[in-house]
Amino acid sequence: MARAVPSEPRLRADARRNGEQIRSAAIGAFQGQGLAVPLEEVAKAAGVSKATIFNRFGGRIGLIEAVIEEVVASPLFAVIDHTRTVDDAGERIAYYVTAIRDLQYRRPAFNDVLLQTYPHSRQLMEICRVGGEANEEFVAAARASGALRPEFTAGDLHALVVDNALALKHGERPARDDYDRRTTYLLDGIRPASG
């Protein structure tokens, strides 16, 4: 007696399930370890082979683009949107800087985006563009209100967050209390001198 051959709809259901398992595993791995996590780890967590990731997503860049919305874009855009609701320009820039540094600490993939680790990802580069525009907007408003040192620019803010990304990615991870204390020092340093 001949063996039953799985029907085409069954294969498609398996492929869909594999795709969702890979996406879920990638979201968890990228959020916890950054975008450079070995694909073997993602495959193991998804219960599939590394080849299945390549067959389904075309490799790392395809996988990043499949999940970057959940991993980085949504949290970043939520920070930007909330920042725009803060009325006082000084409080607005303080919230923004604090929230960006919080994302950097909690989501290693955010640092990979800031460092443009995968420049061939169009979505990753678009996130960088939107973030750069937000930096310009919030710094300009804070400078105009006198809430920032007059010489402090959006380029300075960008350099500070990139420096922080490098330190978090390649240095020893500080305790959260120390990290938050340093955020306070940073904010004090970019505000105009009193008196």
Side-chain angles (χ1 to χ4, degrees):
M1 182 170 178
R3 224 172 38 168
V5 177
S7 67
E8 186 65 22
R10 172 76 180 146
L11 291 176
R12 279 189 243 141
D14 288 347
R16 275 194 307 274
R17 185 175 58 251
N18 283 346
E20 283 310 308
Q21 288 171 323
I22 294 167
R23 279 179 45 80
S24 178
I27 289 168
F30 290 163
Q31 284 176 341
Q33 300 177 60
L35 300 179
V37 64
L39 291 183
E40 291 85 358
E41 286 187 33
V42 176
K44 184 177 179 182
V48 300
S49 70
K50 183 177 169 184
T52 302
I53 292 176
F54 277 86
N55 289 338
R56 179 70 176 86
F57 295 96
R60 182 176 304 277
I61 298 298
L63 185 57
I64 287 170
E65 293 196 341
V67 299
I68 199 73
E69 177 70 28
E70 293 93 332
V71 175
V72 174
S74 289
L76 172 63
F77 297 161
V79 164
I80 292 169
D81 290 344
H82 182 77
T83 302
R84 288 183 175 131
T85 69
V86 178
D87 289 332
D88 179 80
E91 291 176 16
R92 187 179 318 130
I93 195 70
Y95 170 81
Y96 181 67
V97 169
T98 302
I100 292 298
R101 284 181 53 89
D102 176 63
L103 281 178
Q104 289 186 268
Y105 191 85
R106 290 186 301 107
R107 297 204 178 209
F110 190 69
N111 295 315
D112 289 323
V113 171
L114 285 168
L115 297 172
Q116 298 181 6
T117 306
Y118 297 99
H120 299 299
S121 167
R122 288 191 320 262
Q123 289 175 305
L124 187 147
M125 298 310 291
E126 177 63 12
I127 293 167
C128 290
R129 185 192 65 75
V130 171
E133 288 179 357
N135 284 356
E136 294 276 352
E137 173 188 342
F138 300 137
V139 168
R143 283 179 62 186
S145 75
L148 287 178
R149 292 173 172 264
E151 70 275 15
F152 188 80
T153 67
D156 294 325
L157 178 56
H158 176 75
L160 288 170
V161 297
V162 167
D163 288 349
N164 190 45
L166 286 166
L168 288 169
K169 186 171 178 72
H170 300 293
E172 186 175 326
R173 187 175 181 80
R176 184 64 201 235
D177 288 347
D178 292 336
Y179 185 81
D180 291 342
R181 183 169 44 85
R182 292 171 189 146
T183 299
T184 302
Y185 295 153
L186 186 153
L187 290 171
D188 289 345
I190 66 177
R191 290 179 176 123
S194 56

